[in-house]
Amino acid sequence: MKQTNGTATVAHELYAAVRERIVNGTYAPGMRLTEQHFAVEFNTSRTPVREAMRQLTADGFLVFKPNSGTAVRAWTTGQINELFDLRVLIESEIAHHAARHIDEQLLQALTELQDEIERNGADTSDENTSRIGQLNRRFHSLVAQASRSERLTSVLSNAIEQPIVQRTFRKYDARQLQRSFDQHRELIDAFRARNAEWAKSVMSCHIYAAKYALLQGEPEEESDD
């Protein structure tokens, strides 16, 4: 990274790069990360690295423990439950609003995006589920955009960017992955019908199904708090 951009800009770029790697699973839960590692990897000084890591810790992506350093946050079963229950409340309401306000352009964008999500069918390989995870983030962001609710979209943004949400697809079997596809299609149908209650119900079922798939066989972990 170019130091001429200024410390604040470099720190922002570092934050975005590391955050994306945490979200997509490149940096796994519990993985220890050091200032020295990032300074070498990104070819920068430790000052912007330190600022980026401070912000990532403040935003909940990293955790710092005395005598053991900084690591990627790991999630307990209770925290996963809380996150997905929050998503049910927020995203079902967003879907309700989206059904009332979505335009034809966004409907077409969602349809084309879902076509791309399903391009390889219910292939549960790491490569394909990683690809789907990134596209799924885009799908849910478009639904939020369609809702025209800045307040709800702002709250949702942090929830759907959490690494544990992206890990969901790695836990799906072929049947669960196909169900997720079908729920997206039904959600688009509900939007096209302008049926807010239908959209809200589908989104609620979609998030609950994702939580169930993720928590199947999930061991209880020690809390980072």
Side-chain angles (χ1 to χ4, degrees), residues 177-194:
L177 187 56
Q178 184 61 54
R179 178 175 61 194
S180 177
F181 294 164
D182 293 341
Q183 288 168 335
H184 275 196
R185 293 290 184 184
E186 186 176 0
L187 187 62
I188 293 171
D189 286 344
F191 290 156
R192 188 167 283 113
R194 310 293 176 180

Side-chain angles (χ1 to χ4, degrees), residues 110 113-124 128-129 131-133 135-136 139 169 172-189 202 206:
L110 284 173
L113 185 55
Q114 188 58 33
D115 288 343
E116 180 61 19
I117 288 173
E118 296 183 50
R119 186 182 68 195
N120 297 332
D123 172 12
T124 58
N128 194 52
T129 54
R131 183 187 69 86
I132 289 173
L135 294 172
N136 183 70
F139 185 96
F169 288 100
Y172 279 164
D173 58 28
R175 179 184 61 82
Q176 291 167 328
L177 187 56
Q178 184 61 54
R179 178 175 61 194
S180 177
F181 294 164
D182 293 341
Q183 288 168 335
H184 275 196
R185 293 290 184 184
E186 186 176 0
L187 187 62
I188 293 171
D189 286 344
V202 173
H206 183 56

Side-chain angles (χ1 to χ4, degrees), residues 19 31 40 43 52 59 62 74 86 89 104 111 118 125 140 142 146 174 187 191 220:
R19 184 177 185 267
M31 181 178 177
V40 172
N43 190 29
D59 290 347
L62 300 177
L86 177 63
L89 291 173
E104 289 301 321
T111 302
E118 296 183 50
S125 67
H140 284 261
L142 282 178
L187 187 62
F191 290 156
E220 188 71 44

Side-chain angles (χ1 to χ4, degrees), residues 8 25 27 46-47 63 67 72 84-85 92 116 124 135-136 148-149 171 173 181:
Y27 298 147
R46 290 197 181 190
T47 300
V63 291
N67 303 319
V72 178
F84 276 82
D85 287 349
S92 61
E116 180 61 19
T124 58
L135 294 172
N136 183 70
R148 299 184 187 178
S149 173
K171 300 278 285 189
D173 58 28
F181 294 164

